[in-house]
Amino acid sequence: MNAKQRMELAIWLDERFDIAVGTDSRLGNLSKNFLPSNIDYVYYKAILDTLRLLGMEWKRSASGKHYIF
């Protein structure tokens, strides 16, 4: 995976994270932990797990920005 692809994937992960946070908000979850029934979070988490399976690491900043290396 080249640098441009990693950047595009990081931007996409930023968007998926925002969607998962929005879904939790709509479901009435006020805690910092995602609801296990939040399908958007499950999808987001599966992508992160897949990255690790492929041997990549990721980091999310406090502002929600993702970095892949």
Side-chain angles (χ1 to χ4, degrees):
M1 181 176 283
N2 63 34
K4 182 181 178 198
Q5 291 170 324
R6 283 193 309 272
M7 184 184 70
E8 289 171 353
L9 180 57
I11 291 168
W12 185 74
L13 283 170
D14 295 345
E15 293 170 358
R16 294 308 312 173
F17 180 75
D18 289 342
I19 290 169
V21 169
T23 299
D24 246 23
S25 178
R26 279 194 316 273
L27 293 173
N29 185 17
L30 301 176
S31 75
K32 291 188 179 217
N33 298 323
F34 284 101
L35 293 171
S37 61
N38 179 345
I39 193 66
D40 292 314
Y41 171 69
V42 172
Y43 182 61
Y44 166 76
K45 179 83 169 93
I47 297 300
L48 295 178
D49 291 343
T50 302
L51 287 175
R52 282 231 167 105
L53 183 68
L54 294 172
M56 296 182 212
E57 290 295 324
W58 60 272
K59 180 181 172 185
R60 182 179 62 236
S61 69
S63 65
K65 184 165 174 56
H66 290 78
Y67 301 93
I68 300 170
F69 42 102

